[in-house]
Amino acid sequence: MTSKSLWMSIAVAPGAISLQGDERCDVAVIGSGIAGLSTAYELSQRGRSVIVIDRGPIAGGMTARTSAHLAPLCDDLMSEMQKIKGEKLSKLFYESQAAAVDRIEEIQKSEGIDCDFRRLDGYLFQGDDMPSDVIDEELDAVRAVGASVERLVGVPLTGCDSRHVLRYPRQATFHPLKYLAGVAEACAKRKVRFFANTPVEEVLEEDGAVTVKTARGKIRAGHAIVATNSSIVDRIALHSKMSPYRTYVVAFAIDRGALPDALYWDTEEPYHYVRLQPGEDGKDFVLVGGEDHKSGEADDGDKRFQSLEQWARGKMPMLKDVTHRWSGQVLDTIDYAGFIGKNPGSKYIYVATGDSGQGLTHGVMGAMLNATLVTGGESKWAELYAPDRKPLKAAKNWVMENSTALKNLAEYVAPGEISSIDKLEPGQGAIIRDGLKKIAAYSDAKGDVHRHSAACTHLGCHLHWNSFENCWDCPCHGSIFGPEGEVLNAPATSGLTPVS
Ligand SMILES: Cc1cc2nc3c(=O)[nH]c(=O)nc-3n(C[C@H](O)[C@H](O)[C@H](O)COP(=O)(O)OP(=O)(O)OC[C@H]3O[C@@H](n4cnc5c(N)ncnc54)[C@H](O)[C@@H]3O)c2cc1C
Ligand code: FES
């Protein structure tokens, strides 16, 4: 993906080399986002020898594209979660996510990580033309799980003086990559080894242990934790219970103090989210995100950024220039909680996936949970996040999300987007029909055309071109491929098949 986020100027474990032959350890952690690095931290604290391995640079995945709200209440609304999970499990969800925010606060303090961490208020406000009863329903649901909340009228955004609002105290935010750079340093002090630019091809259970296979060697470990955001060890069990959504962020410059430092998000569907990040010389940044859609189902990034900017300037006329624009992907699960714990059908392989737009808190909480389970402990959160759970009350969401795959497969019989490769402009990608086959064709800056099968190498879904990020998106389970067919995002582990 070509866009660059506000965070990406910070390198995490920049000295990490690629794997150079075979290695051994107690636990192999695959994936070095917030979920993987937090897991390495928790396990190394418990005295385990840990290797972290990543397909790309350390912490170069979706964590580098976040907007960094640390908000423990369900971002799809506690009232919605309670309809599916009931009050007891929803309360546990809130407590576990709040424990993750506490853990980040504790780690940045004890390890001396300078990452702009701060506690602040969060405001959920009635969206444009939205009814206020959502706020009342949410107030009841939030009180039921025991979280602090105050009902107000008005937030300090233009035209929102009479909006109905819930104020949540003690939310938090931070610079995610400054935080992970510090976590990686703390891990390195405890002898955690990092291998970057080494794609994992397979994770196998053999002879009472795990073998992590790569083209550069293998790692033998007692356990493996798969923290690749979208799981590479599952074909269907987990993937059929979640769906990928693309979300967009615009960063603006703003004079320090022009907007109270808080988290703001509205009740629209999809919702807008707003937060501040300290800059330099009296200038800060405001991040405004939203405009989510199911991955691959729209290729209109510029229009979405325009509409985000229009919304933001309407609410905050003091905003200055746009400094960054980026997008990323989140995995929404059918019952709003992630899948963390033993991989269904495995003995020694654990997963952390299904971030549901709260991937930062899920990542840190999942690290605590998986570290407890791997070291033989028990956790009261295990049932809530059990990867093999079958949430019957979420059946409606299951049917809705899985209809994407059926709709997608029907695309194989549709005509191509353009009639011939000659019509491709440099820098453009498009699907072309070639007899019975569909080809993902991309013309590079020099006009050389790269042709690949349009079938995703995970389970064969039909890919869609993303012209803002210059990549191929898979609408089914979130794989992303570069214009030359290389894997950019799991669950796929192999590149697109070239077509001559
Ligand atoms: C725009 C945006 C805004 C967001 N806002 C928030 C927010 O405000 N609050 C919040 O809590 N969450 C938010 N999220 C979600 C959150 O940022 C992510 O869910 C979270 O960072 C994901 O962390 P992760 O460790 O699971 O995945 P990643 O950070 O994606 O890490 C996974 C790693 O696995 C590696 N990997 C994949 N396949 C392989 C392989 N085969 N071999 C080796 N390595 C592999 C990848 O290279 C990657 O580095 C947002 C996300 C986006 C995109
Ligand atoms: S990600 Fe599963 S088919 Fe593409």
Side-chain angles (χ1 to χ4, degrees), residues 274-305:
V274 178
R275 56 153 301 208
L276 285 136
Q277 168 60 23
E280 286 171 357
D281 304 327
K283 292 259 182 285
D284 290 340
F285 298 95
V286 173
L287 274 56
V288 180
E291 288 289 327
D292 307 13
H293 61 82
K294 220 163 190 189
S295 293
E297 290 198 345
D299 181 24
D300 54 359
D302 281 329
K303 212 171 97 200
R304 284 172 195 267
F305 283 117

Side-chain angles (χ1 to χ4, degrees), residues 30-36 53-71 198-201 227-230 232 247-249 273 275 326-331 352-353 355-363 487-490 492-493:
I30 305 159
S32 65
I34 194 155
I53 182 164
D54 200 290
R55 184 190 50 227
I58 301 299
M62 291 305 159
T63 306
R65 298 180 167 272
T66 190
S67 66
H69 294 228
L70 298 173
T198 311
V200 170
E201 295 168 350
T228 49
N229 194 229
S230 188
I232 59 165
T247 177
Y248 299 81
V249 181
Y273 44 95
R275 56 153 301 208
W326 72 89
S327 75
Q329 192 170 267
V330 295
L331 295 164
T353 183
D355 43 35
S356 291
Q358 287 179 274
L360 300 175
T361 43
H362 263 110
V487 183
L488 298 181
N489 203 68
T493 50

Side-chain angles (χ1 to χ4, degrees), residues 230 235 239 244 408 455-463 473-481 489-492:
S230 188
R235 289 192 83 71
H239 288 299
N408 177 279
C456 172
T457 54
H458 176 232
L459 284 180
C461 281
H462 187 293
L463 300 174
D473 286 341
C474 182
C476 287
H477 316 110
S479 291
I480 302 175
F481 300 88
N489 203 68

Side-chain angles (χ1 to χ4, degrees), residues 255-270:
D255 287 336
R256 184 154 305 152
L259 180 72
D261 191 11
L263 309 179
Y264 306 87
W265 65 104
D266 66 17
T267 56
E268 290 181 39
E269 178 60 50

Side-chain angles (χ1 to χ4, degrees), residues 276-349:
L276 285 136
Q277 168 60 23
E280 286 171 357
D281 304 327
K283 292 259 182 285
D284 290 340
F285 298 95
V286 173
L287 274 56
V288 180
E291 288 289 327
D292 307 13
H293 61 82
K294 220 163 190 189
S295 293
E297 290 198 345
D299 181 24
D300 54 359
D302 281 329
K303 212 171 97 200
R304 284 172 195 267
F305 283 117
Q306 273 167 24
S307 109
L308 267 184
E309 186 171 347
Q310 196 182 356
W311 181 91
R313 292 203 185 277
K315 299 270 177 297
M316 295 166 278
M318 71 296 243
L319 293 177
K320 305 228 180 278
D321 291 347
V322 169
T323 58
H324 302 75
R325 298 192 322 170
W326 72 89
S327 75
Q329 192 170 267
V330 295
L331 295 164
D332 278 2
T333 69
I334 56 172
D335 66 355
Y336 313 120
F339 298 109
I340 297 151
K342 201 174 272 186
N343 184 52
S346 300
K347 255 184 155 170
Y348 309 107
I349 302 172

Side-chain angles (χ1 to χ4, degrees), residues 1-5 8 65 305 325-328 468-469:
M1 295 195 283
T2 50
S3 69
K4 292 272 173 278
S5 77
M8 287 179 182
R65 298 180 167 272
F305 283 117
R325 298 192 322 170
W326 72 89
S327 75
F468 173 68
E469 294 289 6

